[in-house]
Amino acid sequence: MLQHSGTGRARRWSGVVLATALGLSAAVYAAAPVTAAQPAPVNVQLLAVNDFHGALDPSLTKPSSTDQSTWYYRGGAEYLANFVTTYAAKNPNTVKISAGDMIGASPLLSALFHDEPSVMAFNEMGFDFNVAGNHEFDEGWQELLRMQNGGCHPVDGCFPGVPAFPGASFEYLAGNVIRLDNGQTLFPAYAVREFQGVKVGFIGIALDSTPTIVVPSGVEGLEFQPEVAAINQYAKILKDQGVKAIVAILHDGAAAGPTINSCTTSDPFFANVVMKVDPEVDALITGHSHNAYNCEVQVKKNYAPMLVTSAAYNGRYLTDINLTINATNDQVSAKTATNVPVETPYLSAVPDPAMKALLDQYRAASAPLANRIVGSITADITRAGGTSGEEALGDVLADGQLADTKAAERGGAVIAMTNPGGIRTDLLYNQISGGELPGQVTYGEAFAVQPFSNSLVTLTLTGAQLKTVLEQQFVGCGQPAGGQKILQVSAGFTYTWSTSAACGSKISNMQLNGVAIDPAASYRVTVNNFLAGGGDNFLGFKAGTNLLTGRIDLDAFVDYLGANSPVAPGPQNRI
């Protein structure tokens, strides 16, 4: 053995033999073995948001108090940038990630410029990746390519008074979106980053049901492949390349956790998606559901748990993920994640100066557009509801949504409904916001009525399912303590409700254009995406089938004002 071994151990043994032969103490010569220093582990930080939806301006939370010290801003690019900068400064090995729907269904400041300001804002924050979410396809996949590559809008051209649009400095990922004209992915499926000699792979996957919830023209010529199969396909490719630290970014998600840093693992998303993902994926960053959650999930025995995270929506949370990677074998040896609320005290709020300077250019340029006259009204149209809960403004908004989606190619709707909580202010005859005449309505005033930029969703309900939804308007029948929520309905649809009747029997006499609603018949109903997802405890809408996502509710409202001015208050005679 000694003759054929060149190991240090054999050489040390020879030394001991020699020392013994010389009559010397072996302890003098048998020095402790010298072990090469192990390379230090590499720490990589991931900062993630999802479903920003162009929410460049923050929301202001005012608790029921006049004490402004209790108020705070939530989200907003100028304050999100502060958080991103602070956390990124903790680790030079930082990757900034958006898990889809960065744009689309956006507020005025972003939407007026076809979401160029939001892309510019994420450029300013130095983001690295964005997965193509379903709302990224709202204006079509060719427009999404423009978001990546830059240039003027093909119809509206370049916008004066704001920066030229260079496109995203971050990289779009969409490994399961295939162009049928060339068989290639619309955007790259994955990317690899190297830090101090270790590699981390990032896989980007779109919502595979996107074609069922956007206007068909937006995804014409594309194929959306199953999410889990795509993640696992590219995880194998990365492993074959020797990449062992793998992060999947998926625009799909789950219900909220009990807290922002826990999960509801009983949600079907975990059984249908998470538990089927390759267990060697170290972290799954998700979105779409607009919920905040964060946990570790044991996907398969004898593998390390997988991080599963989501940061709600509108930049209201920032997920801080930290991966410790063994520099010897490139495996993730430890991982943590925390959802950080992006909350800034109102009285001490200081926006990021570079971001403010960028957005102020768009604010100045948008002022003439915000003051554009879009229609007129004959009198105040308010949210005040009578004993039935029907509002004059609710009637008008529902009529606008029906008008926008009644054409067969737009959904074929026969009924439209909207939630009262989505109607944020009144249209007042004498309100003057941009130098207009009394009775005239500006775009900014219309926007204030519906500021959430919800998408319209047309779905199919049976008459029986429609009754189930209406039964859920009342406390104890669907609504928690705190009051009923009466949905506002479009012209032609009428019904009666009873205060004293038991749950399940409160709704009666449902009619459409004077004809009784047939419990077994199917009806196309338009609501906003908030309601379609079961918002405000209207879980009955989740039974809807053949969903088609259309335009923003504000756009439908503006078009209705323009086509029907002067608009009178709704008649409040439907409920």
Side-chain angles (χ1 to χ4, degrees), residues 457-490:
V457 178
T458 303
L459 46 83
T460 299
L461 295 174
T462 65
Q465 290 169 332
L466 182 58
K467 183 177 186 296
T468 296
V469 167
L470 295 177
E471 292 281 350
Q472 293 172 347
Q473 297 175 114
F474 308 100
V475 175
C477 306
Q479 296 303 318
Q484 62 196 23
K485 290 184 173 69
I486 302 300
L487 296 168
Q488 307 300 297
V489 301
S490 56

Side-chain angles (χ1 to χ4, degrees), residues 173-473:
L173 299 175
N176 62 331
V177 182
I178 310 300
R179 289 181 57 163
L180 298 179
D181 60 351
N182 60 17
Q184 303 298 310
T185 57
L186 181 65
F187 294 109
Y190 64 90
V192 177
R193 294 289 186 268
E194 185 169 345
F195 303 96
Q196 297 169 236
V198 302
K199 296 178 179 179
V200 183
F202 298 89
I203 302 168
I205 301 297
L207 180 72
D208 55 12
S209 61
T210 292
T212 69
I213 57 174
V214 301
V215 176
S217 61
V219 293
E220 186 176 0
L222 299 178
E223 176 190 356
F224 286 72
Q225 298 179 334
E227 298 164 358
V228 172
I231 292 173
N232 293 344
Q233 172 190 349
Y234 293 111
K236 183 180 185 304
I237 290 173
L238 287 169
K239 289 187 291 183
D240 289 346
Q241 295 176 2
V243 179
K244 299 177 182 178
I246 301 174
V247 176
I249 312 163
L250 170 64
H251 190 71
D252 197 356
T259 68
I260 63 171
N261 284 302
S262 62
C263 296
T264 301
T265 54
S266 60
D267 184 84
F269 178 76
F270 285 87
N272 297 335
V273 177
V274 177
M275 300 304 292
K276 297 179 180 179
V277 170
D278 187 325
E280 293 188 75
V281 170
D282 296 290
L284 181 63
I285 300 172
T286 69
H288 185 59
S289 66
H290 287 207
N291 293 317
Y293 48 83
N294 163 40
C295 60
E296 293 189 4
V297 179
Q298 189 70 51
V299 174
K300 190 174 182 180
K301 187 178 179 181
N302 298 326
Y303 286 84
M306 180 188 300
L307 281 175
V308 182
T309 70
S310 177
Y313 65 103
N314 288 170
R316 295 183 173 202
Y317 294 93
L318 177 68
T319 305
D320 178 25
I321 300 171
N322 290 278
L323 306 178
T324 300
I325 304 174
N326 188 315
T328 301
N329 61 17
D330 292 349
Q331 298 276 12
V332 173
S333 58
K335 62 187 82 167
T336 63
T338 305
N339 276 332
V340 180
V342 179
E343 297 177 350
T344 306
Y346 174 70
L347 292 180
S348 59
V350 179
D352 177 86
M355 187 67 75
K356 182 178 186 303
L358 171 68
L359 298 185
D360 279 350
Q361 297 176 75
Y362 292 101
R363 290 178 178 126
S366 68
L369 300 174
N371 296 331
R372 176 170 59 90
I373 307 300
V374 297
S376 62
I377 55 178
T378 63
D380 291 350
I381 307 180
T382 74
R383 296 167 293 162
T387 56
S388 71
E390 184 177 351
E391 305 171 4
L393 187 51
D395 286 352
V396 172
L397 291 171
D399 288 349
Q401 293 179 6
L402 179 62
D404 195 73
T405 57
K406 66 182 179 181
E409 66 274 14
R410 301 286 282 274
V414 295
I415 300 169
M417 299 179 174
T418 193
N419 54 309
I423 308 171
R424 306 307 294 178
T425 191
D426 303 326
L427 279 182
L428 302 178
Y429 185 84
N430 287 318
Q431 179 177 352
I432 308 299
S433 60
E436 74 277 12
L437 298 174
Q440 292 182 326
V441 179
T442 67
Y443 188 93
E445 290 167 350
F447 184 86
V449 171
Q450 289 195 302
F452 296 115
S453 295
N454 287 316
S455 302
L456 297 181
V457 178
T458 303
L459 46 83
T460 299
L461 295 174
T462 65
Q465 290 169 332
L466 182 58
K467 183 177 186 296
T468 296
V469 167
L470 295 177
E471 292 281 350
Q472 293 172 347
Q473 297 175 114

Side-chain angles (χ1 to χ4, degrees), residues 522-533:
S522 295
Y523 300 88
R524 294 289 283 167
V525 180
T526 293
V527 294
N528 59 43
N529 60 303
F530 172 71
L531 287 175

Side-chain angles (χ1 to χ4, degrees), residues 1-11 13-14:
M1 179 181 73
L2 295 178
Q3 292 175 347
H4 298 288
S5 175
T7 64
R9 179 178 178 182
R11 288 192 294 271
W13 178 253
S14 298

Side-chain angles (χ1 to χ4, degrees), residues 12-210:
R12 289 195 297 274
W13 178 253
S14 298
V16 172
V17 173
L18 177 61
T20 304
L22 294 174
L24 299 174
S25 169
V28 175
Y29 294 93
V34 177
T35 303
Q38 295 295 313
V42 177
N43 295 312
V44 176
Q45 178 178 241
L46 315 177
L47 299 178
V49 297
N50 53 272
D51 297 273
F52 186 74
H53 287 294
L56 297 168
D57 285 325
S59 61
L60 178 60
T61 299
K62 300 179 181 180
S64 55
S65 169
T66 58
D67 181 3
Q68 294 187 352
S69 66
T70 65
W71 299 359
Y72 56 86
Y73 286 119
R74 300 189 70 185
E78 292 153 312
Y79 301 110
L80 175 62
N82 286 334
F83 279 75
V84 169
T85 298
T86 297
Y87 277 81
K90 297 180 179 181
N91 188 341
N93 302 330
T94 294
V95 181
K96 302 169 187 175
I97 295 166
S98 166
D101 281 5
M102 176 189 292
I103 60 174
S106 302
L108 179 68
L109 184 59
S110 185
L112 283 177
F113 304 96
H114 294 283
D115 280 318
E116 292 177 12
S118 292
V119 172
M120 296 287 280
F122 277 77
N123 287 352
E124 177 65 36
M125 288 185 283
F127 268 66
D128 296 279
F129 303 115
N130 179 48
V131 168
N134 53 290
H135 277 286
E136 257 89 15
F137 294 93
D138 283 352
E139 294 193 43
W141 62 267
Q142 293 87 351
E143 171 68 358
L144 184 54
L145 290 176
R146 187 179 77 89
M147 292 294 100
Q148 178 73 87
N149 300 322
C152 300
H153 189 269
V155 176
D156 294 338
C158 290
F159 297 102
V162 298
F165 182 57
S169 58
F170 51 85
E171 186 173 19
Y172 281 89
L173 299 175
N176 62 331
V177 182
I178 310 300
R179 289 181 57 163
L180 298 179
D181 60 351
N182 60 17
Q184 303 298 310
T185 57
L186 181 65
F187 294 109
Y190 64 90
V192 177
R193 294 289 186 268
E194 185 169 345
F195 303 96
Q196 297 169 236
V198 302
K199 296 178 179 179
V200 183
F202 298 89
I203 302 168
I205 301 297
L207 180 72
D208 55 12
S209 61
T210 292

